[in-house]
Amino acid sequence: MRRIAIATSISDDVNLDPDAQLLLDALDHAGLEGSMCVWNDPSIPWTDFDLTVIRSTWDYTRDRDGYLAWARGIERLLNPYPIIEYSTDKHYLADLESRSHRVVPSSFCDVGEAPEFPDGRFVVKPTVGAGSIDAEKYGPDDHERAAAHVRALHASGRDAMIQPYIDSIDEDGERALVFIDGTFSHAMTKGAMLNTAADDRDALFRREQMSRAEAEPDAVAFGEAVLREAPFRDLLYARVDLVKVPDGWAIMELELVEPSLFLAYEESAPKRLADAIRSRLHARRG
């Protein structure tokens, strides 16, 4: 039986990550043996596995350099290393904008630089971050607090990014489009996160902010156009998070490393993911 390492962050992610057991079961039905493996566990014999699939490595933000070093050392990795390096730092939004994709306007304040804040409401967050951790919303009279936030990020060695707060999030949320093997699978709505105090944004809160959505055709077309480009073609999975702006849809994030895929919300999704993994094994063997 071909062996698949499912890279995760802690050993009990089958309980923490709702996708984990669904994927393990689907792999088993596909004739593959899946094992949850903590990415930074030095005892894991990665070369014993036929493929390593990155899933819930959600703590990489604490040690991105170590995470990238680990990923470089995995020969058979999905998604592949260049995508991991690209998508773990939100400076990639500037690259997407340079490709003429509409993104949420983003300015970057790297360590040592002074921030400039827009008029109106805005968000400060680290360029290497997950979910809403260390992200905060500020108003036009909050520049002093926002500057302190930037200084705190810089003091911890992290670059900051500043974005206008997108008002449509309060009413419509974000639209998260899940793609498996390059094909649109299903859509989710992510409710506003930053209207709640940071201490209350635990895993349960974030999970409760998610709900199944009917994907708008123009949103799906937008996501498909992005993923048709190199280097985003032929990925095992991707999640394109969009928000509604006056000109249409804009990219909030391009999740290509360890996004929740919300497999429980689409009955066919676990099997499709397992089949895509199996097809890559066969292609490699061929």
Side-chain angles (χ1 to χ4, degrees):
M1 182 177 286
R2 310 299 293 276
R3 301 183 65 203
I4 310 298
I6 307 300
T8 183
S9 54
I10 58 175
S11 58
D12 66 347
D13 262 3
V14 290
N15 297 316
L16 178 65
D17 175 15
D19 287 349
Q21 192 61 54
L22 292 169
L23 177 55
L24 291 173
D25 291 344
L27 289 172
D28 183 62
H29 291 150
L32 304 174
E33 180 185 350
S35 300
M36 304 299 292
C37 299
V38 177
W39 70 268
N40 54 359
D41 181 346
S43 71
I44 300 293
W46 297 101
T47 55
D48 288 357
F49 293 93
D50 296 288
L51 276 179
T52 295
V53 176
I54 294 181
R55 290 307 307 122
S56 45
T57 54
W58 295 326
D59 62 352
Y60 81 86
T61 58
R62 303 173 191 168
D63 181 16
R64 180 173 179 262
D65 289 343
Y67 186 68
L68 294 181
W70 164 78
R72 280 195 301 270
I74 305 296
E75 181 182 355
R76 299 177 293 275
L77 182 69
L78 297 174
N79 282 326
Y81 175 78
I83 288 294
I84 306 308
E85 183 178 30
Y86 179 92
S87 191
T88 49
D89 187 319
K90 293 181 180 62
H91 281 90
Y92 68 73
L93 289 169
D95 174 67
L96 291 174
E97 187 175 31
S98 75
R99 296 166 179 258
S100 299
H101 295 300
R102 189 184 299 116
V103 303
V104 173
S106 305
S107 62
F108 299 94
C109 183
D110 295 346
V111 173
E113 298 177 349
E116 295 184 10
F117 301 119
D119 297 331
R121 297 192 294 173
F122 61 94
V123 173
V124 173
K125 63 177 76 169
T127 61
V128 177
S132 59
I133 297 172
D134 292 329
E136 291 296 342
K137 179 178 71 174
Y138 297 98
D141 298 325
D142 292 331
H143 287 200
E144 186 174 337
R145 288 198 308 117
H149 185 174
V150 172
R151 287 195 298 271
L153 292 175
H154 287 181
S156 64
R158 292 180 289 174
D159 297 332
M161 61 186 296
I162 300 160
Q163 297 174 313
Y165 187 79
I166 305 301
D167 292 334
S168 66
I169 293 175
D170 288 341
E171 192 165 326
D172 303 322
E174 299 178 31
R175 187 73 72 246
L177 306 177
V178 176
F179 292 81
I180 296 174
D181 204 17
T183 300
F184 172 70
S185 174
H186 55 286
M188 303 291 294
T189 295
K190 186 194 315 184
M193 299 282 185
L194 299 184
N195 294 332
T196 300
D199 290 344
D200 295 328
R201 294 180 223 145
D202 57 15
L204 177 60
F205 168 79
R206 292 195 296 271
R207 196 173 301 162
E208 289 176 342
Q209 294 301 100
M210 304 301 304
S211 59
R212 180 66 187 262
E214 289 300 321
E216 297 85 349
D218 58 339
V220 175
F222 187 110
E224 290 174 336
V226 174
L227 296 179
R228 278 197 299 268
E229 292 189 1
F232 312 126
R233 289 193 296 269
D234 303 320
L235 298 180
L236 175 64
Y237 56 77
R239 204 181 82 202
V240 184
D241 290 356
L242 304 177
V243 292
K244 200 72 172 177
V245 296
D247 294 334
W249 295 100
I251 299 171
M252 176 65 78
E253 292 193 37
L254 189 57
E255 296 271 15
L256 309 179
V257 181
E258 35 62 81
S260 293
L261 298 176
F262 307 105
L263 301 179
Y265 290 83
E266 173 57 45
E267 185 177 0
S268 64
K271 181 180 184 302
R272 291 175 57 202
L273 184 57
D275 287 347
I277 293 169
R278 184 175 59 183
S279 72
R280 280 160 170 74
L281 276 172
H282 291 165
R284 187 179 298 274
R285 185 165 52 185

